[in-house]
Amino acid sequence: MPAPLTTPAAATVFTMVLTQGPVSRVEIARRTGLSSAAVTKAARPFIEAGYLEELEATDRPGPGAGRPASPLAIKPDREFFAGVKITDDELIGVVTDLRAQVLVGAHRPLTTSSPEGVVATLADLVAELLAADPAYRQRCHALGLAVSGDVDKAHGMVRYSPFLNWRQVPLAKLAAAATGLRVTVENDVKSLTVAEQWFGEGIGASSFALVTVGVGIGCGLVVNDRIVAGSHGVAGEIGHIPVGGEAPECHCGGRGCVEAIAGTAPIVTAVREALGDAELTIDAAIDAAHAGDVAAREVFARAGHAIGLAMAAMANLIGPERIIVTGDVQGLAAYDLFEEQISRSFASQAFGAAADCRIFLRPRPFEQWARGAASVAIQTFFTLQER
Amino acid sequence: MPAPLTTPAAATVFTMVLTQGPVSRVEIARRTGLSSAAVTKAARPFIEAGYLEELEATDRPGPGAGRPASPLAIKPDREFFAGVKITDDELIGVVTDLRAQVLVGAHRPLTTSSPEGVVATLADLVAELLAADPAYRQRCHALGLAVSGDVDKAHGMVRYSPFLNWRQVPLAKLAAAATGLRVTVENDVKSLTVAEQWFGEGIGASSFALVTVGVGIGCGLVVNDRIVAGSHGVAGEIGHIPVGGEAPECHCGGRGCVEAIAGTAPIVTAVREALGDAELTIDAAIDAAHAGDVAAREVFARAGHAIGLAMAAMANLIGPERIIVTGDVQGLAAYDLFEEQISRSFASQAFGAAADCRIFLRPRPFEQWARGAASVAIQTFFTLQER
């Protein structure tokens, strides 16, 4: 059942076709430094197992090549993957193909945040998703779960998730028992970063950053082609860069944190104060700003300023090739209110050539966080495990 | 003449003995994942060429081993390396052995900053250093140069060095012609980071940061075992994280930068204002603080606060295992004035387990910057070059 991953070369060749294909063997050899014979040998078992196929030879032979190149391509429906994002009040699930294209999606509200209750609802949701097509049941073996907080992917353990109030929950084990699938668990921002790295704006960039704007301000980093995990389990906490001077206080105990200025809660508080309405919701705050209220717009601009400064601080330190900005529902609904100020403040604080870093906006439906979870399952499925 | 680097395995095995030896073949095989036979094959040419030697077998055989383990060790005087740090007013040079131990050092004042003038003085300095021992002339083939600013190591080019006012200077080529040595050129902070990675506090850490305090505030980063270079040539610019709110303005065009608070120049300015002495030097400012002047001490404490916040911002983003703090002469002379506030502010702003990151002070003579340059020459000498 597992993919035919017998050697590092097999993993390298397959990953290249998956993330950059269709691509000819000659081109794979050039990009990986493997010999043509090694590429052919590595690809064969994947072709035999139906993961790869050889496309028709193109008419034009490559430069200097004696015979036309037959590109290798993925057969996307050879294997399906389930992905579920777990929030504090709902589960969002998808089934994707091998290239992380979303084929079907579904939501389930959560009435409890106990691990057992969440896993029971999860099993229902996954069963519903896989029932959508008999092929899913047959050819889906892996489920990815994305959770905010401190996750130990190697052991499938949620060490601490503040929103769910979970500590040391062996989620992979519980979910595997409930679904019969191989389960990977990863932090939600890292999952989204993996999706961009293999299947999105990160392709071809050895270094990039993903910044998420919403309830919190998060960040996933890829440096020298690898996710930055943090030696002590903490990395990408762009929300706690102190760009706001001595005020305001943040829930983390620090001061001046981006998240204490630009997260959903401080924005709501500031707009409530500005408009003198103690009951105002974030949606109403966004509406007021969209309707042109100057005080409300100023709050969002200040948030954008803080985000732009933090992105510049990150670019000054790491020098990513690109920065992708995305968010949760509220973060994206307000994005046009931040955008100009983010760009302006980023440019004002980026050091020298760090300002050349390109910024992409990826307005994504929340379902994409579930796709991130599936991407981690895909990446794990096709990564040679250490024995 | 070049080291017998024929395969990636040879480079891996040699580097492990150099940075972590003496170490047995069995242990090398365990740590690298190579077979014992591959380790033996990789080590042989280095033994034959005199770079490695087999130590006496230890009395106790390793656990489960049938025969006693004979550790492999470096012969440190098989090859010597020259390293020179170029500042705006002097050259500091050293000769080191294979393990980057400084054997001899010398200074030369610079009377010009023209590339030709600097290279002429450099050639004199290197000749003096190598004349100290006939073995140096015989067995020193490589010279490392460390320069502040934007350096293109691959092409041996100083793209821009503000202190020297150099742009697009082909320094490696000029210095190779003048000295007859193989020359590497690297940014000075990255050079010092390489010295820590291979021969210092970075050994065994897959991720660490080096922070330098002085005229400027710099940072070298190693993440997932590799130096962070920055896609656009900019990385490690911790001095331009805006922790100081909207004021003060920085020479980079940004606001609130650490360097605009904690660099030598702003400290001098602030102490001058506090003491009402427009002619005060940095040495006098440090003396005043050491003598207990409250206003002067406050300036240094503010600087330490800014440095500690920036280190926390970096740790929140990257999650280094360790942070090594070092500096130039002035930075280190003042370090006791910063130290307590750096630790306190770091702890207040580090996010969760990022606070577990250990901070080391490495009070180093300025000569260590020249040792950094030699370390880059060593690393380059023993790195398989792409053909």
Side-chain angles (χ1 to χ4, degrees):
Chain A
M1 183 199 77
L5 285 175
T6 47
T7 63
T12 301
V13 169
F14 183 80
T15 303
M16 179 157 289
V17 180
L18 177 62
T19 59
Q20 298 175 43
V23 55
S24 71
R25 290 184 178 84
V26 172
E27 181 60 20
I28 296 172
R30 195 186 64 76
R31 291 190 207 167
T32 59
L34 293 167
S35 70
S36 286
V39 173
T40 296
K41 188 180 165 197
R44 190 177 303 125
F46 288 103
I47 295 174
E48 284 165 4
Y51 289 95
L52 294 184
E53 64 182 336
E54 203 158 359
L55 298 184
E56 295 271 308
T58 51
D59 289 336
R60 283 162 298 179
R67 57 191 182 111
S70 311
L72 290 173
I74 286 289
K75 291 177 80 168
D77 60 355
R78 170 61 181 83
E79 186 84 32
F80 301 102
F81 294 85
V84 176
K85 155 86 172 171
I86 303 176
T87 75
D88 58 343
D89 60 1
E90 71 173 342
L91 302 179
I92 303 111
V94 296
V95 173
T96 78
D97 67 14
L98 257 170
R99 306 194 72 145
Q101 296 299 312
V102 173
L103 303 171
V104 58
H107 293 223
R108 284 286 170 103
L110 283 177
T111 50
T112 167
S113 66
S114 79
E116 296 70 24
V118 170
V119 168
T121 308
L122 173 69
D124 282 353
L125 173 63
V126 171
E128 178 193 326
L129 286 165
L130 296 186
D133 188 320
Y136 300 165
R137 256 277 159 246
Q138 269 181 333
R139 299 202 296 277
C140 177
H141 303 100
L143 163 66
L145 301 177
V147 184
S148 72
D150 183 0
V151 173
D152 176 356
K153 175 171 181 282
H155 299 96
M157 182 77 80
V158 178
R159 281 195 290 236
Y160 178 46
S161 183
F163 288 109
L164 291 159
N165 197 22
W166 285 3
R167 284 178 193 274
Q168 301 295 340
V169 172
L171 183 60
K173 199 174 139 189
L174 296 173
T179 62
L181 299 172
R182 283 197 272 166
V183 177
T184 53
V185 184
E186 181 56 290
N187 166 273
D188 55 354
V189 175
K190 284 200 187 121
S191 299
L192 213 50
T193 306
V194 166
E196 294 295 340
Q197 183 185 23
W198 274 39
F199 306 109
E201 298 292 355
I203 293 175
S206 81
S207 168
F208 72 92
L210 174 84
V211 174
T212 66
V213 176
V215 173
I217 317 292
C219 179
L221 294 167
V222 169
V223 173
N224 290 327
D225 297 313
R226 290 178 59 188
I227 294 258
V228 178
S231 303
H232 304 280
V234 172
E237 293 292 350
I238 197 172
H240 301 283
I241 294 184
V243 300
E246 290 305 309
E249 284 185 55
C250 179
H251 61 83
C252 76
R255 285 177 172 274
C257 296
V258 180
E259 195 160 302
I261 300 166
T264 300
I267 287 177
V268 170
T269 302
V271 178
R272 281 176 179 175
E273 278 175 19
L275 302 191
D277 175 354
E279 303 295 318
L280 193 89
T281 63
I282 179 66
D283 293 335
I286 294 171
D287 288 346
H290 279 152
D293 183 278
V294 174
R297 293 185 73 84
E298 176 57 29
V299 169
F300 284 96
R302 269 206 305 277
H305 176 59
I307 295 166
L309 290 182
M311 281 167 47
M314 181 265 289
N316 292 350
L317 270 177
I318 325 273
E321 196 175 319
R322 309 164 191 166
I323 300 174
I324 304 152
V325 181
T326 185
D328 63 21
V329 175
Q330 284 149 4
L332 291 173
Y335 191 77
D336 64 303
L337 299 167
F338 298 136
E339 188 175 15
E340 193 188 331
Q341 193 61 55
I342 287 180
S343 299
R344 201 183 302 152
S345 299
F346 177 80
S348 76
Q349 192 65 35
F351 185 78
D356 295 345
C357 174
R358 287 179 60 197
I359 299 176
F360 294 78
L361 172 64
R362 292 283 271 190
R364 294 186 167 288
F366 207 54
E367 202 170 69
Q368 298 300 323
W369 291 79
R371 175 177 177 259
S375 300
V376 174
I378 297 172
Q379 192 175 64
T380 304
F381 198 75
F382 292 108
T383 299
L384 202 61
Q385 304 300 308
E386 290 182 19
R387 279 150 230 266
Chain B
M1 185 198 74
L5 286 174
T6 47
T7 63
T12 302
V13 168
F14 183 79
T15 303
M16 179 156 293
V17 180
L18 177 61
T19 60
Q20 298 175 42
V23 55
S24 71
R25 291 184 176 83
V26 172
E27 182 59 21
I28 296 172
R30 195 186 65 77
R31 292 192 207 166
T32 59
L34 293 167
S35 70
S36 285
V39 172
T40 296
K41 188 179 165 195
R44 191 176 304 124
F46 287 103
I47 295 174
E48 284 166 4
Y51 289 95
L52 295 183
E53 64 181 337
E54 204 157 358
L55 299 185
E56 295 271 306
T58 52
D59 290 335
R60 283 162 299 178
R67 58 191 181 108
S70 310
L72 290 173
I74 287 290
K75 290 176 81 169
D77 58 356
R78 170 60 182 82
E79 186 85 31
F80 300 101
F81 294 85
V84 176
K85 154 87 173 172
I86 303 176
T87 76
D88 58 343
D89 61 1
E90 70 172 344
L91 302 179
I92 302 111
V94 296
V95 173
T96 77
D97 67 13
L98 257 168
R99 305 193 74 145
Q101 296 298 311
V102 174
L103 303 172
V104 58
H107 293 224
R108 284 284 171 105
L110 284 177
T111 50
T112 167
S113 68
S114 79
E116 295 71 23
V118 170
V119 167
T121 307
L122 173 70
D124 281 352
L125 174 63
V126 170
E128 178 193 328
L129 287 165
L130 295 186
D133 188 320
Y136 299 165
R137 255 278 158 246
Q138 268 181 332
R139 300 202 294 279
C140 176
H141 303 99
L143 164 67
L145 300 177
V147 184
S148 72
D150 184 359
V151 173
D152 177 356
K153 176 172 180 282
H155 298 96
M157 183 75 83
V158 177
R159 282 195 290 237
Y160 178 46
S161 182
F163 288 108
L164 291 159
N165 198 21
W166 285 2
R167 283 178 193 276
Q168 301 296 338
V169 173
L171 183 60
K173 201 173 137 191
L174 296 174
T179 62
L181 299 171
R182 285 198 268 166
V183 177
T184 53
V185 183
E186 181 57 289
N187 167 273
D188 55 353
V189 176
K190 284 199 188 123
S191 299
L192 212 49
T193 307
V194 166
E196 294 294 341
Q197 184 185 24
W198 274 38
F199 306 108
E201 298 291 356
I203 294 175
S206 81
S207 168
F208 72 91
L210 173 83
V211 174
T212 67
V213 176
V215 173
I217 316 292
C219 179
L221 295 167
V222 168
V223 174
N224 290 327
D225 296 312
R226 290 178 58 189
I227 293 258
V228 178
S231 303
H232 304 281
V234 172
E237 293 292 350
I238 198 173
H240 302 281
I241 295 184
V243 301
E246 290 305 309
E249 284 185 56
C250 180
H251 62 83
C252 76
R255 283 176 173 275
C257 295
V258 180
E259 196 161 298
I261 300 166
T264 300
I267 286 179
V268 171
T269 303
V271 178
R272 282 176 179 175
E273 278 174 21
L275 303 192
D277 175 353
E279 303 296 317
L280 193 88
T281 62
I282 179 66
D283 292 335
I286 294 171
D287 288 346
H290 279 149
D293 183 278
V294 174
R297 293 185 73 84
E298 176 58 29
V299 170
F300 284 97
R302 270 207 305 278
H305 177 58
I307 295 167
L309 290 182
M311 281 167 47
M314 180 266 288
N316 292 348
L317 271 176
I318 325 273
E321 198 174 318
R322 308 165 191 166
I323 301 175
I324 304 152
V325 181
T326 187
D328 62 21
V329 175
Q330 284 148 7
L332 291 173
Y335 191 77
D336 64 302
L337 300 167
F338 298 137
E339 187 174 15
E340 192 188 332
Q341 194 61 55
I342 287 180
S343 299
R344 201 184 302 153
S345 299
F346 176 81
S348 75
Q349 192 65 34
F351 186 77
D356 295 345
C357 175
R358 285 178 62 198
I359 300 176
F360 295 79
L361 171 64
R362 290 284 269 191
R364 291 184 168 290
F366 207 53
E367 201 170 69
Q368 299 299 323
W369 291 79
R371 177 179 177 255
S375 300
V376 174
I378 297 172
Q379 191 173 65
T380 305
F381 198 74
F382 293 107
T383 300
L384 204 60
Q385 304 300 311
E386 289 182 22
R387 280 150 230 264

